[in-house]
Amino acid sequence: MEWYEVAFDTLYPILYEHRDIEESDAVAKAFGSLFLDKDPILDLACGNGRYLESISRRGHLIFGLDLSHYLLRACLDSWGHKGLIMQADMRRIPLLTGSVGAVINMFTSFGYFSRDTDNLLVSKEVFRVLRWGGIFLFDFINARKIASSLLEESQRESGSFIIKEKRRLENYGKYLVKDIQAINAQSGTKEQIEERLRLYTMDELIIMFESVGFKIDSVFGGYDLSPFVEGVSDRVIIVSAKK
Ligand SMILES: C[S@@+](CC[C@H](N)C(=O)[O-])C[C@H]1O[C@@H](n2cnc3c(N)ncnc32)[C@H](O)[C@@H]1O
């Protein structure tokens, strides 16, 4: 099995408990003007549906797509959205060409495939399902910042778990590999997962998106709409349009 078929399961809410509805509400508000007249919207790799919930609270029709049965189930249990979420692979979006007005891809939900052609295929699929004038909101980590200040090992607590994380760069900095161990402090049981991310830089992302036809509209460095500064910003947030 591929790492992304395993990693986004019961451990996810423990590892990323800080990625919550408060954060998605704030981001949806900050970027809210992008979605005017864009319904329906697709949340590509929607996970537990926090962005689905935040954006639909703002009055939009939004669908979600994700591979993880566990996280889609969590979405249904937490927020509902029955009939608006689908289990699929982001390389083959089961929607008609030109059928949505906006696609969002939030919190580093890209670069999961070991072949660049597969990651490129995702951008092509996003472009395909958008109608003319549609927009793509894309949120990734700042690869150069991560690579230049790599924290090789860390340990933290989350609920009753102790989380140990080891990070390394592979293939001359093209991939960030994280080995994560979660130890249940009460029972002593251990679970281990791996995450492998293709560390696309801002320049590489822009070249890729332009190559499939997108026009880049703006690049931000954080959820507060701060400008992107290479090596400094935490995020690379690219807004592009099909026009
Ligand atoms: C880091 S999480 C982000 C989830 C959500 N965007 C958020 O902000 O909470 C990445 C998501 O990508 C999904 N994913 C991983 N591989 C996928 C694939 N091949 N196709 C569709 N979704 C995938 C995972 O199941 C997970 O929900």
Side-chain angles (χ1 to χ4, degrees):
M1 275 177 121
E2 300 291 344
W3 74 266
Y4 52 82
E5 297 173 283
V6 179
F8 299 104
D9 208 89
T10 49
L11 271 188
Y12 184 82
I14 295 155
L15 296 176
Y16 296 105
E17 63 171 353
H18 54 298
R19 300 302 186 173
D20 55 17
I21 186 79
E22 281 73 34
E23 183 180 68
S24 56
D25 275 349
V27 178
K29 187 173 176 204
F31 288 89
S33 62
L34 286 177
F35 305 128
L36 288 175
D37 303 322
K38 297 293 187 235
D39 292 14
I41 299 164
L42 170 68
D43 183 356
L44 186 65
C46 63
N48 66 15
R50 63 188 180 129
Y51 276 100
L52 272 187
E53 177 63 16
S54 296
I55 292 175
S56 68
R57 277 180 190 174
R58 302 181 62 80
H60 294 285
L61 173 61
I62 177 163
F63 299 99
L65 177 156
D66 203 278
L67 195 62
S68 164
H69 182 268
Y70 177 81
L71 291 178
L72 290 172
R73 186 75 249 170
C75 174
L76 284 180
D77 292 344
S78 303
W79 324 112
H81 300 291
K82 202 172 171 202
L84 295 174
I85 54 175
M86 53 195 134
Q87 188 178 21
D89 190 296
M90 61 175 110
R91 287 167 291 186
R92 286 174 294 278
I93 303 174
L95 289 177
L96 290 177
T97 298
S99 58
V100 298
V103 176
I104 66 167
N105 181 262
M106 306 304 288
F107 181 40
T108 325
S109 301
F110 187 84
Y112 291 171
F113 305 108
S114 55
R115 292 186 311 190
D116 280 356
T117 46
D118 278 335
N119 295 318
L120 176 67
L121 192 53
V122 179
S123 337
K124 285 182 179 166
E125 274 291 86
V126 173
F127 191 80
R128 181 187 66 76
V129 299
L130 279 171
R131 63 174 178 254
W132 286 103
I135 58 116
F136 180 31
L137 172 61
F138 173 84
D139 162 38
F140 200 65
I141 50 169
N142 182 356
R144 288 223 168 92
K145 183 174 179 186
I146 290 281
S148 64
S149 55
L150 190 71
L151 185 60
E152 289 181 359
E153 283 192 43
S154 60
Q155 184 169 320
R156 61 192 165 98
E157 282 176 24
S158 175
S160 55
F161 286 83
I162 299 160
I163 313 291
K164 294 183 178 180
E165 291 170 302
K166 288 186 182 173
R167 303 172 190 82
R168 65 181 187 278
L169 298 176
E170 279 189 3
N171 210 340
Y172 304 101
K174 268 177 99 175
Y175 294 89
L176 171 66
V177 183
K178 253 198 216 181
D179 289 315
I180 306 172
Q181 196 180 54
I183 303 153
N184 188 321
Q186 278 152 17
S187 64
T189 52
K190 289 180 189 170
E191 280 186 72
Q192 191 123 11
I193 57 162
E194 182 191 65
E195 292 179 357
R196 298 185 73 85
L197 188 68
R198 172 70 164 87
L199 270 188
Y200 286 108
T201 63
M202 190 267 266
D203 299 334
E204 287 177 311
L205 290 165
I206 286 184
I207 289 169
M208 184 190 315
F209 293 163
E210 287 182 337
S211 78
V212 305
F214 279 111
K215 302 278 182 294
I216 307 300
D217 189 73
S218 35
V219 184
F220 299 97
Y223 296 137
D224 57 356
L225 305 184
S226 52
F228 177 76
V229 182
E230 189 57 280
V232 175
S233 300
D234 288 326
R235 311 298 304 169
V236 178
I237 302 173
I238 301 176
V239 180
S240 44
K242 179 172 176 174
K243 60 183 180 192

